[in-house]
Amino acid sequence: EPEVTQTPSHQVTQMGQEVILRCVPISNHLYFYWYRQILGQKVEFLVSFYNNEISEKSEIFDDQFSVERPDGSNFTLKIRSTKLEDSAMYFCASGDRDDEQFFGPGTRLTVL
Amino acid sequence: QKEVEQDPGPLSVPEGAIVSLNCTYSNSAFQYFMWYRQYSRKGPELLMYTYSSGNKEDGRFTAQVDKSSKYISLFIRDSQPSDSATYLCAMSLNQGGKLIFGQGTELSVKP
């Protein structure tokens, strides 16, 4: 069964450093998303991406964040200058026309 | 008022029990409703997906949406210890739109 994959599973970085989180969505999906979940809190929407552009973004997704689909398979989230409060699980999701969204296993980001 | 509310539990039931999980929401414009299961430190796994009002059944799982009451439910029949997880409700306004999640209900099914 096709699934969303994410790398790395755990990323540790120093405050102020740039990180890139990588995702390989399900191959025939058209909609791509990033969510995050701070420990003990709700899953929160960050950004959605369709037809090679951002379709919606949340207040969390400020100028420090960017997304890219550099080729036909990968979808990346970049955080330019990480803050302590960026520590969270980051989930990539992809969806098809039926609007179901399928999540990857997540990348645990720890900012020291 | 929170956009999506869900009792965080924890909820503990004996094996074989019927489990009822619920969410309420404030925005009547939500049209798409989902239930996800999340094991500790893993990604949410889609269980059920419903468009608009009505019921949907899949094996031991039944999802109900009552848009007039802004209330959705997930029922699990013949619960198993392997059902022990956190159950998240989620909803969206439009096709391909962002999901708004509830807090999640932690369920424990005891053998």
Side-chain angles (χ1 to χ4, degrees):
Chain A
E1 188 173 327
E3 57 184 22
V4 177
T5 59
Q6 290 185 244
T7 54
S9 57
H10 189 195
Q11 174 87 50
V12 181
T13 189
Q14 295 290 326
M15 190 169 55
Q17 295 297 303
E18 174 183 287
V19 295
I20 297 176
L21 310 182
R22 292 183 167 80
C23 168
V24 179
I26 294 172
S27 63
N28 61 339
H29 283 183
L30 303 174
Y31 300 86
F32 311 107
Y33 310 84
W34 284 100
Y35 293 82
R36 79 173 185 189
Q37 187 176 30
I38 294 170
L39 190 63
Q41 297 188 24
K42 289 186 179 186
V43 176
E44 302 175 284
F45 168 79
L46 292 177
V47 66
S48 57
F49 193 86
Y50 172 72
N51 201 24
N52 286 318
E53 60 183 23
I54 290 174
S55 46
E56 190 173 4
K57 59 184 180 179
S58 72
E59 292 176 354
I60 303 166
F61 195 88
D62 61 21
D63 292 345
Q64 294 301 310
F65 291 85
S66 62
V67 289
E68 196 175 39
R69 189 157 160 79
D71 53 42
S73 59
N74 291 285
F75 182 50
T76 62
L77 174 70
K78 183 194 289 188
I79 309 174
R80 267 180 267 282
S81 178
T82 50
K83 306 182 186 69
L84 294 175
E85 54 265 36
D86 293 329
S87 294
M89 283 287 284
Y90 287 80
F91 295 109
C92 172
S94 69
D96 56 19
R97 296 184 198 281
D98 292 336
D99 199 55
E100 297 172 326
Q101 293 184 27
F102 297 89
F103 282 69
T107 292
R108 183 153 61 103
L109 177 64
T110 302
V111 182
L112 302 176
Chain B
Q1 184 182 10
K2 291 181 183 176
E3 206 162 12
V4 179
E5 297 208 49
Q6 186 176 6
D7 186 339
L11 179 62
S12 182
V13 301
E15 183 175 353
I18 297 174
V19 176
S20 172
L21 304 167
N22 312 293
C23 286
T24 60
Y25 60 94
S26 57
N27 189 344
S28 58
F30 283 130
Q31 297 191 75
Y32 300 87
F33 304 91
M34 297 110 197
W35 285 95
Y36 286 85
R37 178 172 62 195
Q38 186 177 31
Y39 293 110
S40 181
R41 294 190 176 259
K42 302 291 185 187
E45 172 194 3
L46 182 64
L47 282 177
M48 300 289 284
Y49 164 79
T50 311
Y51 169 67
S52 195
S53 279
N55 293 358
K56 186 173 184 179
E57 188 172 322
D58 184 2
R60 296 185 294 111
F61 298 91
T62 300
Q64 288 185 350
V65 174
D66 181 349
K67 290 190 74 177
S68 62
S69 302
K70 290 186 256 183
Y71 187 87
I72 68 171
S73 302
L74 178 71
F75 298 95
I76 307 173
R77 289 182 297 283
D78 187 25
S79 55
Q80 303 295 309
S82 57
D83 295 327
S84 299
T86 296
Y87 289 79
L88 311 172
C89 65
M91 44 201 80
S92 68
L93 297 173
N94 50 284
Q95 189 173 35
K98 67 181 180 186
L99 294 181
I100 307 297
F101 281 85
Q103 178 72 28
T105 299
E106 184 182 347
L107 172 67
S108 177
V109 181
K110 302 294 186 188

Short mmCIF file of all heavy atoms in Angstrom, two decimals, chain A residues 46-98:
data_model
loop_
_atom_site.label_atom_id
_atom_site.label_comp_id
_atom_site.label_asym_id
_atom_site.label_seq_id
_atom_site.Cartn_x
_atom_site.Cartn_y
_atom_site.Cartn_z
N LEU A 46 0.10 24.02 8.92
CA LEU A 46 1.10 25.03 8.56
C LEU A 46 0.84 25.60 7.17
O LEU A 46 0.71 26.81 6.99
CB LEU A 46 2.50 24.43 8.59
CG LEU A 46 3.05 24.03 9.95
CD1 LEU A 46 4.42 23.39 9.79
CD2 LEU A 46 3.13 25.22 10.87
N VAL A 47 0.79 24.70 6.17
CA VAL A 47 0.74 25.16 4.79
C VAL A 47 0.18 24.06 3.89
O VAL A 47 0.35 22.88 4.17
CB VAL A 47 2.15 25.59 4.33
CG1 VAL A 47 3.09 24.39 4.28
CG2 VAL A 47 2.14 26.33 3.01
N SER A 48 -0.49 24.49 2.83
CA SER A 48 -0.93 23.55 1.80
C SER A 48 -0.37 24.00 0.46
O SER A 48 -0.12 25.19 0.24
CB SER A 48 -2.44 23.44 1.74
OG SER A 48 -3.03 24.70 1.52
N PHE A 49 -0.19 23.05 -0.43
CA PHE A 49 0.53 23.29 -1.69
C PHE A 49 -0.18 22.52 -2.78
O PHE A 49 -0.44 21.33 -2.65
CB PHE A 49 1.96 22.78 -1.51
CG PHE A 49 2.94 23.20 -2.56
CD1 PHE A 49 3.60 24.41 -2.45
CD2 PHE A 49 3.25 22.37 -3.62
CE1 PHE A 49 4.55 24.79 -3.39
CE2 PHE A 49 4.18 22.74 -4.57
CZ PHE A 49 4.84 23.95 -4.45
N TYR A 50 -0.54 23.23 -3.84
CA TYR A 50 -1.26 22.60 -4.94
C TYR A 50 -0.86 23.28 -6.23
O TYR A 50 -0.73 24.51 -6.28
CB TYR A 50 -2.77 22.72 -4.71
CG TYR A 50 -3.61 22.27 -5.88
CD1 TYR A 50 -3.71 20.92 -6.20
CD2 TYR A 50 -4.30 23.20 -6.68
CE1 TYR A 50 -4.47 20.51 -7.29
CE2 TYR A 50 -5.06 22.79 -7.75
CZ TYR A 50 -5.14 21.45 -8.06
OH TYR A 50 -5.89 21.03 -9.13
N ASN A 51 -0.65 22.51 -7.25
CA ASN A 51 -0.33 23.06 -8.57
C ASN A 51 0.91 23.95 -8.50
O ASN A 51 0.95 25.03 -9.10
CB ASN A 51 -1.54 23.84 -9.10
CG ASN A 51 -1.51 24.00 -10.61
OD1 ASN A 51 -0.89 23.22 -11.32
ND2 ASN A 51 -2.18 25.02 -11.10
N ASN A 52 1.89 23.47 -7.75
CA ASN A 52 3.19 24.14 -7.64
C ASN A 52 3.17 25.50 -6.97
O ASN A 52 4.08 26.33 -7.20
CB ASN A 52 3.86 24.26 -9.01
CG ASN A 52 4.40 22.93 -9.48
OD1 ASN A 52 4.99 22.18 -8.71
ND2 ASN A 52 4.19 22.62 -10.74
N GLU A 53 2.16 25.74 -6.16
CA GLU A 53 2.18 26.97 -5.38
C GLU A 53 1.45 26.78 -4.07
O GLU A 53 0.64 25.86 -3.92
CB GLU A 53 1.58 28.13 -6.17
CG GLU A 53 0.14 27.94 -6.59
CD GLU A 53 -0.36 29.11 -7.43
OE1 GLU A 53 0.47 29.81 -8.04
OE2 GLU A 53 -1.57 29.33 -7.45
N ILE A 54 1.75 27.67 -3.12
CA ILE A 54 1.07 27.64 -1.84
C ILE A 54 -0.39 28.01 -2.04
O ILE A 54 -0.69 29.04 -2.65
CB ILE A 54 1.75 28.59 -0.83
CG1 ILE A 54 3.13 28.05 -0.44
CG2 ILE A 54 0.87 28.79 0.39
CD1 ILE A 54 3.94 29.00 0.45
N SER A 55 -1.30 27.17 -1.54
CA SER A 55 -2.72 27.48 -1.66
C SER A 55 -3.27 28.10 -0.38
O SER A 55 -4.22 28.88 -0.42
CB SER A 55 -3.53 26.24 -2.04
OG SER A 55 -3.16 25.13 -1.26
N GLU A 56 -2.67 27.77 0.74
CA GLU A 56 -3.09 28.35 2.01
C GLU A 56 -1.97 28.20 3.02
O GLU A 56 -1.19 27.25 2.95
CB GLU A 56 -4.35 27.61 2.52
CG GLU A 56 -5.02 28.26 3.69
CD GLU A 56 -6.34 27.59 4.06
OE1 GLU A 56 -6.70 26.57 3.45
OE2 GLU A 56 -7.01 28.12 4.97
N LYS A 57 -1.87 29.17 3.93
CA LYS A 57 -0.88 29.05 4.99
C LYS A 57 -1.45 29.62 6.27
O LYS A 57 -2.33 30.48 6.26
CB LYS A 57 0.42 29.75 4.62
CG LYS A 57 0.29 31.22 4.33
CD LYS A 57 1.63 31.79 3.89
CE LYS A 57 1.50 33.28 3.60
NZ LYS A 57 2.80 33.87 3.18
N SER A 58 -0.94 29.14 7.40
CA SER A 58 -1.42 29.60 8.69
C SER A 58 -0.54 30.75 9.18
O SER A 58 0.49 31.08 8.58
CB SER A 58 -1.39 28.46 9.70
OG SER A 58 -0.05 28.14 10.05
N GLU A 59 -0.97 31.32 10.30
CA GLU A 59 -0.19 32.42 10.91
C GLU A 59 1.18 31.94 11.37
O GLU A 59 2.11 32.73 11.46
CB GLU A 59 -0.96 32.97 12.11
CG GLU A 59 -2.23 33.70 11.73
CD GLU A 59 -3.02 34.15 12.96
OE1 GLU A 59 -2.64 33.78 14.09
OE2 GLU A 59 -4.02 34.86 12.76
N ILE A 60 1.28 30.64 11.67
CA ILE A 60 2.57 30.10 12.10
C ILE A 60 3.58 30.17 10.97
O ILE A 60 4.77 30.39 11.18
CB ILE A 60 2.41 28.63 12.54
CG1 ILE A 60 1.36 28.49 13.63
CG2 ILE A 60 3.73 28.04 12.98
CD1 ILE A 60 0.92 27.06 13.86
N PHE A 61 3.11 29.98 9.76
CA PHE A 61 3.97 29.89 8.58
C PHE A 61 4.41 31.30 8.17
O PHE A 61 3.87 31.89 7.23
CB PHE A 61 3.21 29.20 7.45
CG PHE A 61 4.09 28.74 6.31
CD1 PHE A 61 4.69 27.49 6.35
CD2 PHE A 61 4.30 29.54 5.20
CE1 PHE A 61 5.49 27.07 5.31
CE2 PHE A 61 5.10 29.12 4.16
CZ PHE A 61 5.69 27.89 4.21
N ASP A 62 5.40 31.83 8.90
CA ASP A 62 5.88 33.19 8.60
C ASP A 62 7.06 33.13 7.64
O ASP A 62 7.33 32.10 7.02
CB ASP A 62 6.22 33.91 9.91
CG ASP A 62 7.32 33.22 10.68
OD1 ASP A 62 8.10 32.43 10.09
OD2 ASP A 62 7.42 33.45 11.90
N ASP A 63 7.77 34.23 7.54
CA ASP A 63 8.86 34.34 6.55
C ASP A 63 10.02 33.39 6.82
O ASP A 63 10.90 33.22 5.96
CB ASP A 63 9.39 35.78 6.52
CG ASP A 63 8.38 36.75 5.96
OD1 ASP A 63 7.41 36.26 5.33
OD2 ASP A 63 8.55 37.96 6.13
N GLN A 64 10.05 32.81 8.00
CA GLN A 64 11.12 31.85 8.32
C GLN A 64 10.88 30.49 7.68
O GLN A 64 11.76 29.65 7.65
CB GLN A 64 11.24 31.69 9.84
CG GLN A 64 11.72 32.93 10.56
CD GLN A 64 13.08 33.37 10.04
OE1 GLN A 64 14.00 32.58 9.95
NE2 GLN A 64 13.19 34.65 9.68
N PHE A 65 9.66 30.27 7.21
CA PHE A 65 9.29 28.98 6.64
C PHE A 65 9.17 29.10 5.12
O PHE A 65 8.74 30.14 4.59
CB PHE A 65 7.94 28.52 7.18
CG PHE A 65 7.94 28.13 8.63
CD1 PHE A 65 7.76 29.10 9.62
CD2 PHE A 65 8.10 26.81 9.03
CE1 PHE A 65 7.76 28.73 10.96
CE2 PHE A 65 8.09 26.45 10.36
CZ PHE A 65 7.91 27.41 11.33
N SER A 66 9.52 28.03 4.44
CA SER A 66 9.26 27.96 3.00
C SER A 66 9.06 26.49 2.62
O SER A 66 9.50 25.58 3.33
CB SER A 66 10.40 28.57 2.19
OG SER A 66 11.60 27.87 2.40
N VAL A 67 8.36 26.29 1.52
CA VAL A 67 8.14 24.94 1.01
C VAL A 67 8.55 24.91 -0.46
O VAL A 67 8.52 25.93 -1.16
CB VAL A 67 6.68 24.46 1.15
CG1 VAL A 67 6.33 24.20 2.60
CG2 VAL A 67 5.71 25.45 0.52
N GLU A 68 8.89 23.72 -0.88
CA GLU A 68 9.34 23.55 -2.25
C GLU A 68 9.04 22.13 -2.70
O GLU A 68 9.07 21.20 -1.89
CB GLU A 68 10.86 23.80 -2.31
CG GLU A 68 11.41 24.03 -3.67
CD GLU A 68 12.89 24.39 -3.63
OE1 GLU A 68 13.64 23.81 -2.82
OE2 GLU A 68 13.30 25.23 -4.44
N ARG A 69 8.74 22.02 -3.98
CA ARG A 69 8.62 20.70 -4.58
C ARG A 69 9.66 20.68 -5.70
O ARG A 69 9.37 21.00 -6.84
CB ARG A 69 7.22 20.49 -5.12
CG ARG A 69 6.94 19.08 -5.57
CD ARG A 69 5.44 18.81 -5.56
NE ARG A 69 5.05 17.69 -6.41
CZ ARG A 69 5.18 16.42 -6.08
NH1 ARG A 69 5.67 16.09 -4.91
NH2 ARG A 69 4.81 15.47 -6.90
N PRO A 70 10.91 20.34 -5.35
CA PRO A 70 12.03 20.53 -6.27
C PRO A 70 12.00 19.59 -7.48
O PRO A 70 12.60 19.90 -8.50
CB PRO A 70 13.26 20.26 -5.39
CG PRO A 70 12.76 19.40 -4.28
CD PRO A 70 11.34 19.81 -4.05
N ASP A 71 11.30 18.46 -7.34
CA ASP A 71 11.20 17.53 -8.46
C ASP A 71 9.83 16.87 -8.39
O ASP A 71 8.98 17.30 -7.62
CB ASP A 71 12.35 16.51 -8.41
CG ASP A 71 12.43 15.82 -7.06
OD1 ASP A 71 11.37 15.46 -6.51
OD2 ASP A 71 13.54 15.68 -6.54
N GLY A 72 9.63 15.84 -9.15
CA GLY A 72 8.30 15.24 -9.19
C GLY A 72 7.95 14.40 -8.00
O GLY A 72 6.81 13.94 -7.89
N SER A 73 8.89 14.20 -7.07
CA SER A 73 8.58 13.29 -5.98
C SER A 73 8.74 13.91 -4.59
O SER A 73 8.00 13.56 -3.69
CB SER A 73 9.45 12.04 -6.08
OG SER A 73 10.82 12.37 -6.04
N ASN A 74 9.67 14.83 -4.41
CA ASN A 74 9.93 15.34 -3.07
C ASN A 74 9.14 16.61 -2.76
O ASN A 74 8.81 17.39 -3.65
CB ASN A 74 11.43 15.64 -2.91
CG ASN A 74 12.26 14.38 -2.91
OD1 ASN A 74 12.28 13.66 -1.93
ND2 ASN A 74 12.91 14.10 -4.03
N PHE A 75 8.89 16.79 -1.46
CA PHE A 75 8.22 18.00 -0.97
C PHE A 75 8.95 18.38 0.31
O PHE A 75 9.05 17.57 1.22
CB PHE A 75 6.75 17.69 -0.73
CG PHE A 75 5.92 18.85 -0.25
CD1 PHE A 75 5.94 20.08 -0.91
CD2 PHE A 75 5.08 18.71 0.84
CE1 PHE A 75 5.16 21.14 -0.48
CE2 PHE A 75 4.29 19.77 1.27
CZ PHE A 75 4.34 20.98 0.61
N THR A 76 9.50 19.60 0.36
CA THR A 76 10.35 19.96 1.49
C THR A 76 9.79 21.15 2.26
O THR A 76 9.11 22.01 1.70
CB THR A 76 11.78 20.30 1.04
OG1 THR A 76 11.75 21.43 0.17
CG2 THR A 76 12.43 19.13 0.31
N LEU A 77 10.11 21.16 3.55
CA LEU A 77 9.82 22.30 4.42
C LEU A 77 11.15 22.81 4.94
O LEU A 77 11.92 22.05 5.52
CB LEU A 77 8.92 21.88 5.59
CG LEU A 77 8.66 22.94 6.65
CD1 LEU A 77 7.76 24.05 6.11
CD2 LEU A 77 7.99 22.32 7.89
N LYS A 78 11.41 24.09 4.72
CA LYS A 78 12.63 24.70 5.22
C LYS A 78 12.29 25.70 6.31
O LYS A 78 11.37 26.51 6.17
CB LYS A 78 13.38 25.42 4.10
CG LYS A 78 14.71 26.02 4.54
CD LYS A 78 15.27 27.00 3.52
CE LYS A 78 15.77 26.33 2.28
NZ LYS A 78 16.48 27.27 1.38
N ILE A 79 13.04 25.62 7.40
CA ILE A 79 12.96 26.65 8.44
C ILE A 79 14.31 27.34 8.45
O ILE A 79 15.35 26.71 8.69
CB ILE A 79 12.65 26.04 9.83
CG1 ILE A 79 11.43 25.12 9.76
CG2 ILE A 79 12.39 27.17 10.83
CD1 ILE A 79 11.15 24.38 11.08
N ARG A 80 14.31 28.63 8.15
CA ARG A 80 15.57 29.36 7.89
C ARG A 80 16.40 29.57 9.15
O ARG A 80 17.59 29.36 9.14
CB ARG A 80 15.29 30.70 7.25
CG ARG A 80 15.33 30.67 5.74
CD ARG A 80 15.04 32.05 5.17
NE ARG A 80 13.63 32.20 4.88
CZ ARG A 80 13.03 31.69 3.82
NH1 ARG A 80 13.71 31.00 2.94
NH2 ARG A 80 11.73 31.88 3.61
N SER A 81 15.79 29.98 10.21
CA SER A 81 16.51 30.28 11.45
C SER A 81 15.67 29.74 12.60
O SER A 81 14.73 30.40 13.06
CB SER A 81 16.72 31.79 11.58
OG SER A 81 17.38 32.09 12.79
N THR A 82 16.01 28.54 13.03
CA THR A 82 15.14 27.85 13.99
C THR A 82 15.13 28.53 15.35
O THR A 82 16.13 29.10 15.80
CB THR A 82 15.57 26.39 14.14
OG1 THR A 82 16.99 26.35 14.39
CG2 THR A 82 15.24 25.57 12.92
N LYS A 83 13.97 28.44 16.00
CA LYS A 83 13.78 28.95 17.35
C LYS A 83 13.47 27.76 18.27
O LYS A 83 13.04 26.69 17.80
CB LYS A 83 12.63 29.95 17.41
CG LYS A 83 12.70 31.10 16.43
CD LYS A 83 11.50 32.03 16.64
CE LYS A 83 11.44 33.11 15.60
NZ LYS A 83 11.10 32.62 14.27
N LEU A 84 13.63 28.00 19.56
CA LEU A 84 13.31 26.94 20.51
C LEU A 84 11.87 26.45 20.34
O LEU A 84 11.60 25.24 20.41
CB LEU A 84 13.51 27.43 21.95
CG LEU A 84 14.94 27.76 22.36
CD1 LEU A 84 14.96 28.34 23.77
CD2 LEU A 84 15.84 26.54 22.26
N GLU A 85 10.98 27.38 20.08
CA GLU A 85 9.55 27.04 19.98
C GLU A 85 9.19 26.31 18.68
O GLU A 85 8.04 25.90 18.51
CB GLU A 85 8.67 28.29 20.14
CG GLU A 85 8.99 29.42 19.20
CD GLU A 85 9.93 30.46 19.82
OE1 GLU A 85 10.84 30.06 20.59
OE2 GLU A 85 9.76 31.65 19.50
N ASP A 86 10.15 26.13 17.81
CA ASP A 86 9.91 25.32 16.60
C ASP A 86 10.04 23.82 16.89
O ASP A 86 9.74 22.99 16.03
CB ASP A 86 10.90 25.68 15.49
CG ASP A 86 10.69 27.08 14.95
OD1 ASP A 86 9.52 27.55 14.95
OD2 ASP A 86 11.68 27.72 14.56
N SER A 87 10.48 23.48 18.09
CA SER A 87 10.59 22.06 18.46
C SER A 87 9.21 21.44 18.45
O SER A 87 8.30 21.90 19.14
CB SER A 87 11.21 21.93 19.86
OG SER A 87 12.54 22.38 19.87
N ALA A 88 9.05 20.39 17.65
CA ALA A 88 7.75 19.76 17.46
C ALA A 88 7.93 18.55 16.55
O ALA A 88 9.00 18.33 15.99
CB ALA A 88 6.76 20.74 16.82
N MET A 89 6.83 17.79 16.41
CA MET A 89 6.75 16.77 15.34
C MET A 89 6.19 17.47 14.12
O MET A 89 5.17 18.16 14.21
CB MET A 89 5.83 15.63 15.74
CG MET A 89 6.44 14.65 16.71
SD MET A 89 7.69 13.60 15.95
CE MET A 89 6.68 12.46 15.03
N TYR A 90 6.83 17.29 13.00
CA TYR A 90 6.36 17.87 11.74
C TYR A 90 5.87 16.73 10.84
O TYR A 90 6.60 15.79 10.55
CB TYR A 90 7.48 18.66 11.06
CG TYR A 90 7.76 19.95 11.76
CD1 TYR A 90 8.54 19.99 12.92
CD2 TYR A 90 7.21 21.15 11.31
CE1 TYR A 90 8.77 21.18 13.59
CE2 TYR A 90 7.43 22.35 11.97
CZ TYR A 90 8.22 22.35 13.11
OH TYR A 90 8.44 23.54 13.77
N PHE A 91 4.62 16.86 10.43
CA PHE A 91 4.01 15.84 9.59
C PHE A 91 3.76 16.39 8.20
O PHE A 91 3.21 17.48 8.03
CB PHE A 91 2.68 15.39 10.18
CG PHE A 91 2.78 14.71 11.51
CD1 PHE A 91 2.32 15.33 12.65
CD2 PHE A 91 3.32 13.43 11.61
CE1 PHE A 91 2.42 14.71 13.88
CE2 PHE A 91 3.41 12.80 12.83
CZ PHE A 91 2.97 13.45 13.98
N CYS A 92 4.15 15.61 7.23
CA CYS A 92 3.78 15.86 5.85
C CYS A 92 2.53 15.04 5.55
O CYS A 92 2.37 13.93 6.08
CB CYS A 92 4.94 15.43 4.95
SG CYS A 92 4.59 15.47 3.20
N ALA A 93 1.65 15.57 4.73
CA ALA A 93 0.48 14.83 4.30
C ALA A 93 0.26 15.06 2.82
O ALA A 93 0.67 16.10 2.27
CB ALA A 93 -0.75 15.25 5.09
N SER A 94 -0.37 14.10 2.16
CA SER A 94 -0.74 14.31 0.77
C SER A 94 -2.16 13.81 0.56
O SER A 94 -2.67 12.98 1.32
CB SER A 94 0.24 13.62 -0.19
OG SER A 94 0.15 12.21 -0.12
N GLY A 95 -2.80 14.36 -0.46
CA GLY A 95 -4.20 14.01 -0.71
C GLY A 95 -4.50 14.00 -2.19
O GLY A 95 -3.78 14.58 -3.00
N ASP A 96 -5.61 13.33 -2.48
CA ASP A 96 -6.06 13.26 -3.86
C ASP A 96 -7.37 14.04 -4.00
O ASP A 96 -7.78 14.76 -3.09
CB ASP A 96 -6.21 11.81 -4.31
CG ASP A 96 -7.15 11.03 -3.38
OD1 ASP A 96 -7.94 11.66 -2.65
OD2 ASP A 96 -7.09 9.80 -3.39
N ARG A 97 -8.05 13.89 -5.11
CA ARG A 97 -9.26 14.69 -5.35
C ARG A 97 -10.37 14.38 -4.36
O ARG A 97 -11.28 15.17 -4.19
CB ARG A 97 -9.76 14.43 -6.78
CG ARG A 97 -8.79 14.88 -7.83
CD ARG A 97 -9.39 14.68 -9.23
NE ARG A 97 -8.36 14.71 -10.24
CZ ARG A 97 -7.83 15.83 -10.73
NH1 ARG A 97 -8.21 16.99 -10.28
NH2 ARG A 97 -6.89 15.77 -11.65
N ASP A 98 -10.33 13.22 -3.73
CA ASP A 98 -11.38 12.84 -2.78
C ASP A 98 -11.22 13.52 -1.43
O ASP A 98 -12.00 13.28 -0.54
CB ASP A 98 -11.40 11.32 -2.59
CG ASP A 98 -11.85 10.60 -3.85
OD1 ASP A 98 -12.55 11.24 -4.65
OD2 ASP A 98 -11.49 9.44 -4.02
#
